[in-house]
Amino acid sequence: MEKLFALTPYIPLFPLLAFALIVLWANKNNKLSAGLAIAGLGLSTIISWLIAIATIVGGEHVQVEGWSLTIPWLPTGTGVFNMGFAVDGFTAAMLFMVPFVSSLIFIYASEYMEGDSRYARFFAYVSLFVSGMLTLVVADNLLLLFIAWEIMGLCSYLLIGFWFEKDSAKKAGLKAFLTTRVGDVLFFGGMLLLYSQTGTLTFREIFTPAVLERLAEATIWGQPASVVISLLIFGGAVGKSAQFPLHVWLPDAMEGPTPVSAMIHAATMVSAGVYLVARMLPLFAVVPVGSLQWVAIIGAITAFFGATIGIAQNDIKRVLAYSTISQLGYMMIGLGLGGFLAGIFHLLTHSFFKALLFLGSGSVIHAMEHGAHHAHDHETDPQDMMNMGGLANRMKKTYIAYMAGTLALVGIVPFAGFFSKDEILAEAWHQAGGFNFGSIAFWAWLAGLLGAFVTALYMGRQIGLVFLGKPRTKLAEHAVEPGKRMTYPLLVLGFFALTLGFINIPKNVPIIGNGWLHEFAGLIYESTEVLNLEALPLNWGLAGVATIIGLAGFFGGIALYRGHQAGQSDPMVKLLGRPLFTLLKNKYYVDEFYFAVIINPVVKLANFAGKFDYDWVINPIVNFVGNTGKWLSIVSGEFDRVVVDGLGVLGTARFFRWMGKELRYTQTGQVQNYLLVIALVSLSLVGAYLFGLGF
């Protein structure tokens, strides 16, 4: 078994090798590029599942204590900073999900991206993307996690802006990169402070009771060090997992290809932020009233905020994007209330059914684009749900799979989302102790419950607009379901959307109750003595209320939209009122607020600074230096012409020419004249000599 765990470093290595081979060798061959990417990730999936099985078989010791490999990396003066890899129950659960879901997305993309001029480049980028996520999952320390974190940040920029010919895609990639950098700076600052306080970034060393106690007692800026550090680290998760107020990048990320959307929303990018908080949860919890409550507050705001915006969006992928924002909020609620298992359970189930929904939306868009080609209509938006309708009859496999994902998202028994979302709501209710209006947990529960209703409402709206009723455009009339490489991954994900919740049914459920995931991955931080990891029983009353609310919202949305006709006004406008609907459609004007308060002032300041430098500093100085140099060159030129050339070079030449001209007349050619000159010169010299002696 030890030899099997030693294969852990190879999990991120194979996709990384696929990236290198595609870039350096196979980029001219599309099929080979896709094959390398799928094969590399397939090998990672096999190893990951073998390690997950070994963790299960190894029993509680392996699940909790895990396995690790330490590699000396960087001398620090007083010691050596170690890098390495580790596997425990939580890691094994992520290794089950990340490579498998990513593999299905890769297979789907091999058909979806056909015909794209940058097909090979796409598979190179996504291979690097998933390699970064897998490195993050198996890292045993915060620095290696941060390196992998930044690799994913780069890949998200490259993939969101993959179709950079479109101005919207180019801006979306830049927006995602800059927004997440805000969180990353906070994360990096927290990591540096943590190292300064502990001298280590290795998880096992940080989470010892002695180190946690020291972090709780030490102070930074008058606050417990653990609170300051954990809030800074949480800032990174807020950016990466699109939590309020750094959520604005995620909807615009829909400008990338749909397989990218599925990876970002399910297996990689946004899951990384939740993973970070879950991995660092003992640090958050060591001070009971501190950073943990802010995780719950931000999660509750995000859950309700994202859900309400989703009911007023018409782009099929943007609806799902706001759904992701909302569901990530639920995960943060669970973690913020100390429910480690509740948060990661929903992370796992959500990854499967949200990948299914995004790939399903890609199938719909692909079919609509086919209809546009057949109908010679390239003006109608193939992603606008108002242009769809009646697709259930034309895309039966997609419809069945999409319904499975929808029911899982809404939280209907027995689909996976019911069990994981209910555990979060139950955790909130338990922490609040019932109707306790003074408890943050109660308001988190209420936000989650209202968010569940709104989620069901906008998903019913989406099913009604996309799949039910009659086609509202020629595109929908001529839509054709795509091939097996796109539909079969949907069916596989649909199966997991139905069954994955069974891995953690509370034990008080007769016959099928097992609490298995809790026993497998939920006890890894028991030794820290700061988390209450007790599994909660199923609260039948709460589960019943949540189910009734979900069904009411879902069928209400279907009833409102299944008969919607082209040209009719949106029924939600009448239901909510024009002002509220406009507010939701414009996403609470958060983007406009950022433009007004941050972006435009910064741009104006930059323009002013640029104008100041260019017109008042740089140009005057440059022009002065240039004009002075020009004047000096003119003076120097005249000096050269008059003095150096005129008096020096030419003057000397003229003088000797004149002397030569005058002296030539002394050359008569007669010996007598020469003798006379010699005699006169000799006499002159003798006279001068005698005169000098005083005679």
Side-chain angles (χ1 to χ4, degrees), residues 638-656:
E638 290 299 310
F639 180 81
D640 283 350
R641 187 179 65 83
V642 175
V643 178
V644 177
D645 291 344
L647 297 179
V649 178
L650 296 177
T652 301
R654 288 173 183 150
F655 172 76
F656 281 104

Side-chain angles (χ1 to χ4, degrees), residues 67-92:
W67 167 91
S68 63
L69 170 67
T70 301
I71 304 168
W73 183 64
L74 181 68
T76 60
T78 57
V80 177
F81 186 88
N82 294 318
M83 299 282 263
F85 305 92
V87 175
D88 55 26
F90 180 26
T91 305

Side-chain angles (χ1 to χ4, degrees), residues 228-239:
V228 175
I229 292 169
S230 56
L231 282 176
L232 288 171
I233 291 174
F234 179 56
V238 167

